[in-house]
Amino acid sequence: MYAVIRYGGKQYRAEPGKTIKVERLDGKVGSKVTFSGEDVLAVRTDEKLLKGAEASTAKVSGRIVEQGRHPKVMVMKYRRTKQYRITRGHRQNYTAIEVKDITV
């Protein structure tokens, strides 16, 4: 069984027992998180696939395992013969969530 959830403009596949890294979510480590309603896009059970209005009744619950930052990504802009060089780094914040249960 798995569910497809939407958070922060991205879609994630959530399975019970697995850990997913989503964009920064307010909350302390150990606190509970629930995705429901419009955030649940689809649910795959052993028998069938639920999507749309059927999937919006499902709930995905879990707990926050970690608040952290991804590795640095270097971005460089360069124009030849113009003496133009800019280098910048970016680290995206994330929240690791351990999915506990999917209820339909």
Side-chain angles (χ1 to χ4, degrees), residues 19-78:
T19 302
I20 57 174
K21 290 183 179 180
V22 299
E23 287 191 19
R24 186 63 178 240
L25 187 68
D26 291 335
K28 295 182 179 180
V29 174
S31 62
K32 294 182 180 180
V33 178
T34 303
F35 298 97
S36 61
E38 302 245 339
D39 294 334
V40 180
L41 302 177
V43 177
R44 175 67 183 183
T45 62
D46 296 333
E47 297 86 32
K48 58 185 174 178
L49 174 69
L50 304 173
K51 55 185 178 178
E54 296 174 330
S56 65
T57 61
K59 291 184 180 180
V60 178
S61 60
R63 67 179 184 89
I64 296 177
V65 178
E66 177 187 8
Q67 297 276 14
R69 300 180 82 186
H70 285 290
K72 184 175 278 195
V73 176
M74 298 303 292
V75 179
M76 181 176 179
K77 296 181 180 181
Y78 173 75

